[in-house]
């Protein structure tokens, strides 16, 4: 077998594979002999079928199969040995005069080659790195929510503006019949609030669904309907009041502090505020980091210029899709995937140039940290190291989890590199202003 490469240009090449009879004959003969031993053909005893008949019936299929195996094994080996950085997979060139009845075969494969380029980590333009702070307003609102959440319900005869009213929503035409609780301070429509204030158990109130709640996405669960229906629902429902309660805030005492953060972690209202501020800003840091990662990614895609073997990749997409694609459809698919492909190449270049690697031991430690944070959400604040180690071992036995965690750890490593090397400007904002600025 002989494999040679013809360079078309910097991004395209053709690999030629020449296979002679000597390359495949022994293997084909061996397989056909095995077929002969097992063949059950009427008129012949098992193992006594003439070889000529076996070759006539199975020879071509075995030949094609073995030649294809030879190509696959040796072509992949050649690409590795020659250190060719290819995009997609080699595409076989069509040969109109190809004949499987010959002894020797010649195949040609088109290659799309990865471009050569450099990534300048020190960006010309300063990229904003947000530092999100929890201001006094946010901390106080969080304390109010906590006190309310852990408070107790006190039954009332008449509804006030901050009470919780439980009742049944009904609308026969829209098939609505659902028991739910309304918190009056979460209603958006002033008319709805006014119509409920002063009402008693047994009263029936008519409410408009459109603009009823401040958080519109909660309308579906409130009315007991699916989200798609709730999205554009503009009708009236009756609300039959069954229960009226006032939520009495919990006292900010040691019992509540211990319930929230573990015994003696917080021992005063001042420490509570500090703890809420600290925890909130840790959560905000994740969002700020993701924003920074996204912005750096976008910058590199926009400012790292290189050509791609567009024609090859379009043909490759066309040939590997589940369903046949026209030239126009394949071109559209390439256009959709081009941005992602460009960043894969850029990211790979950054990882290679900066020798960023993931060792199994650090992946296991990363998994243990992830598991520990998950356990903390369910009140297990101090798991034993042996328990964490055992869970991490089980998690890393799953290759899908290994892939997912490796990607997350690599993102962290890249983020650390960007914070060190990229030209950044820090901007301190409240969470409210961060949301406005970033998400509009």
């Amino acid at each position: 077998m002989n494999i040679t490469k013809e360079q078309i240009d910097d991004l395209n090449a053709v690999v030629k594979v020449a296979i002679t009879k000597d390359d495949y004959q022994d293997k084909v003969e061996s397989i056909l002999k095995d077929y002969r031993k097992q063949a059950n053909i009427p008129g012949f005893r098992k193992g006594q079928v003439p070889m000529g008949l076996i070759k006539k019936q199975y020879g071509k299929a075995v030949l094609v199969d073995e030649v294809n195996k030879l190509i696959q094994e040796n072509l992949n080996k050649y690409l590795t040995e020659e250190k060719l950085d290819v995009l997609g997979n080699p595409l076989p060139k069509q040969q109109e005069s190809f004949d499987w009845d010959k002894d020797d075969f010649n195949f040609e494969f088109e290659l799309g080659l990865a471009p050569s380029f450099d990534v300048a980590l020190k960006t010309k333009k300063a990229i904003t790195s947000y530092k999100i702070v929890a201001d006094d307003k946010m901390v106080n609102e969080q304390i109010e929510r906590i006190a309310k959440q852990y408070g107790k319900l006190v039954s009332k005869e008449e509804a006030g503006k901050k009470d919780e009213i439980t009742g049944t929503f009904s609308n026969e035409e829209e098939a609505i019949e659902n028991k739910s609780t309304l918190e009056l301070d979460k209603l958006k429509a002033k008319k709805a609030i006014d119509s409920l204030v002063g009402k008693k158990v047994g009263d029936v109130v008519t409410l408009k669904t459109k603009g009823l709640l401040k958080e519109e996405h909660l309308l579906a669960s409130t009315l007991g309907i699916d989200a798609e229906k709730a999205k554009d629902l503009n009708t009236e429902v009756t609300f039959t009041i069954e229960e009226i309660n006032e939520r009495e805030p919990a006292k900010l005492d040691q019992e509540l502090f211990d319930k929230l953060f573990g015994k003696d972690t917080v021992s005063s209202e001042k420490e509570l505020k500090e703890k809420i501020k600290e925890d909130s800003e840790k959560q905000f840091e994740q969002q700020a980091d993701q924003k920074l990662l996204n912005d750096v990614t976008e910058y590199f895609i926009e400012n790292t210029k290189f050509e791609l073997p567009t024609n090859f990749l379009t043909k490759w997409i066309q040939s590997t899709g589940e369903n046949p694609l026209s030239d126009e459809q394949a071109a559209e698919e390439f256009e959709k995937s081009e941005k992602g492909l460009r960043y894969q190449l850029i990211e790979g270049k950054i990882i290679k140039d900066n020798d960023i690697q993931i060792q199994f031991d650090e992946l296991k430690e990363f998994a243990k940290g992830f598991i520990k944070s998950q356990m903390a959400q369910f009140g297990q604040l101090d798991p034993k190291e042996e328990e964490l180690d055992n869970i991490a071992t089980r998690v890393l036995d799953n290759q899908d989890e290994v892939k997912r965690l490796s990607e997350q750890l690599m993102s962290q490593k890249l983020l650390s590199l960007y914070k060190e090397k990229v030209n950044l400007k820090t901007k301190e904002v409240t969470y409210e202003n961060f949301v406005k600025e970033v998400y509009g």
Side-chain angles (χ1 to χ4, degrees):
M1 178 181 292
N2 186 37
I3 303 179
T4 57
K5 176 171 71 75
E6 178 188 344
Q7 194 77 27
I8 307 301
D9 56 38
D10 289 343
L11 300 175
N12 295 276
V14 172
V15 168
K16 298 179 179 181
V17 181
I19 296 177
T20 66
K21 190 173 182 179
D22 290 341
D23 294 321
Y24 62 80
Q25 186 175 24
D26 290 346
K27 184 67 174 176
V28 169
E29 291 290 339
S30 174
I31 292 171
L32 290 175
K33 284 178 183 177
D34 288 339
Y35 274 31
R36 186 183 181 217
K37 292 175 185 177
Q38 303 299 325
N40 284 312
I41 296 178
F44 298 95
R45 283 185 296 164
K46 187 175 181 180
Q48 298 301 313
V49 181
M51 181 55 81
L53 186 58
I54 293 295
K55 286 184 176 181
K56 184 177 180 181
Q57 190 161 348
Y58 301 109
K60 184 69 67 67
V62 172
L63 169 67
V64 172
D65 190 45
E66 286 307 308
V67 168
N68 281 329
K69 285 180 183 176
L70 273 173
I71 292 171
Q72 186 174 8
E73 291 168 6
N74 288 278
L75 184 55
N76 288 338
K77 184 180 176 184
Y78 174 82
L79 296 177
T80 302
E81 289 175 349
E82 294 294 314
K83 297 180 180 177
L84 294 175
D85 193 359
V86 299
L87 302 178
N89 294 312
L91 287 179
K93 292 185 73 173
Q94 297 297 323
Q95 300 180 57
E96 293 179 6
S97 58
F98 188 84
D99 186 358
W100 281 106
D101 290 325
K102 291 182 178 179
D103 291 335
D104 299 337
F105 308 106
N106 291 293
F107 300 91
E108 293 186 357
F109 295 87
E110 295 179 65
L111 300 183
L113 304 176
S116 177
F117 60 92
D118 293 313
V119 182
L121 288 179
K122 194 67 175 178
T123 57
K124 292 179 181 178
K125 174 188 173 185
I127 297 173
T128 301
S129 175
Y130 288 94
K131 177 177 172 56
I132 308 172
V133 295
D135 58 2
D136 291 342
K137 177 173 177 278
M138 170 174 277
V139 172
N140 290 331
E141 285 175 351
Q142 180 67 4
I143 289 174
E144 282 182 23
R145 281 194 292 271
I146 290 170
K148 189 174 181 181
Q149 180 183 346
Y150 288 90
K152 62 180 181 180
L153 291 175
V154 179
S155 181
K156 291 182 65 179
E157 290 187 4
E158 191 175 286
K161 285 189 176 180
K162 293 188 177 181
D163 292 339
E164 299 178 12
I165 305 176
T166 300
T168 299
F169 287 96
S170 302
N171 181 308
E172 188 175 347
E173 187 179 337
E174 297 290 346
I176 296 171
E177 189 72 22
N178 190 59
K179 185 173 181 177
S180 188
T181 298
L182 283 178
E183 296 178 49
L184 265 62
D185 58 0
K186 290 187 177 180
L187 295 183
K188 181 179 180 181
K190 184 178 182 301
K191 191 173 181 180
I193 297 171
D194 292 342
S195 66
L196 287 164
V197 170
K199 293 297 186 291
K200 299 179 179 180
V201 172
D203 288 346
V204 179
V205 179
T206 299
L207 302 171
K208 288 187 175 181
T209 58
K210 189 171 180 64
L212 178 63
L213 303 174
K214 291 177 182 176
E215 297 181 70
E216 294 180 359
H217 67 278
L218 295 176
L219 184 64
S221 58
T222 301
L223 300 180
I225 57 177
D226 63 61
E228 195 59 37
K229 181 177 180 178
K231 187 178 176 183
D232 299 312
L233 188 64
N234 184 10
T235 189
E236 290 185 341
V237 290
T238 59
F239 182 62
T240 304
I241 299 173
E242 299 168 19
E243 193 177 332
I244 301 170
N245 292 298
E246 178 183 6
R247 190 171 287 273
E248 189 176 286
K251 291 181 180 178
L252 301 179
D253 55 18
Q254 196 61 47
E255 182 182 352
L256 179 61
F257 301 155
D258 290 349
K259 189 181 291 185
L260 291 171
F261 304 108
K263 189 166 176 59
D264 297 331
T265 302
V266 169
S267 56
S268 67
E269 190 172 337
K270 181 185 176 184
E271 288 182 11
L272 172 65
K273 289 184 176 182
E274 290 171 354
K275 180 66 174 168
I276 289 173
K277 180 178 174 65
E278 178 189 346
D279 289 351
S280 296
E281 290 180 355
K282 277 183 183 177
Q283 292 181 2
F284 297 154
E285 188 177 348
Q286 294 177 4
Q287 288 180 264
D289 282 348
Q290 188 59 56
K291 171 63 177 167
L292 177 59
L293 197 58
N294 292 344
D295 288 347
V296 172
T297 297
E298 288 293 330
Y299 180 90
F300 285 147
I301 291 172
E302 292 297 321
N303 293 276
T304 307
K305 304 299 182 184
F306 53 83
E307 296 296 321
L308 289 171
T310 303
N311 291 336
F312 169 84
L313 289 170
T314 304
K315 285 168 66 175
W316 178 69
I317 289 170
Q318 193 171 22
S319 68
T320 55
E322 291 183 10
N323 300 311
L325 297 177
S326 67
D327 292 346
E328 292 77 12
Q329 288 172 325
E332 285 178 13
E333 286 301 313
F334 170 72
E335 193 173 330
K336 289 176 187 175
S337 60
E338 182 181 3
K339 191 173 182 179
L341 174 58
R342 285 184 176 278
Y343 187 66
Q344 283 180 24
L345 292 170
I346 292 168
E347 186 182 78
K349 177 70 173 170
I350 292 170
I351 290 169
K352 182 180 178 182
D353 287 353
N354 294 275
D355 194 26
I356 304 175
Q357 299 177 24
I358 293 178
Q359 306 296 336
F360 181 78
D361 287 347
E362 63 179 340
L363 182 62
K364 189 171 183 179
E365 287 303 311
F366 181 74
K368 284 160 69 173
F370 180 78
I371 292 161
K372 191 173 181 180
S373 66
Q374 293 274 61
M375 294 173 76
Q377 292 179 18
F378 295 95
Q380 294 176 265
L381 301 175
D382 192 24
K384 293 181 179 178
E385 186 65 22
E386 183 181 357
E387 183 182 9
L388 285 173
D389 201 75
N390 289 337
I391 296 172
T393 300
R394 290 199 300 273
V395 167
L396 295 176
D397 280 340
N398 184 321
Q399 288 307 306
D400 288 338
E401 286 298 304
V402 170
K403 183 175 182 293
R404 184 177 67 83
L405 290 168
S406 295
E407 288 172 353
Q408 291 181 4
L409 180 54
M410 182 56 74
S411 288
Q412 279 195 8
K413 285 174 172 279
L414 286 169
L415 184 65
S416 297
L417 178 71
Y418 297 159
K419 285 182 176 180
E420 179 187 348
K421 302 286 188 182
V422 172
N423 181 16
L424 302 178
K425 58 179 180 182
T426 302
K427 184 173 184 178
E428 192 171 291
V429 292
T430 64
Y431 183 70
E432 185 179 358
N433 287 336
F434 174 78
V435 171
K436 285 179 183 176
E437 191 166 322
V438 173
Y439 304 109

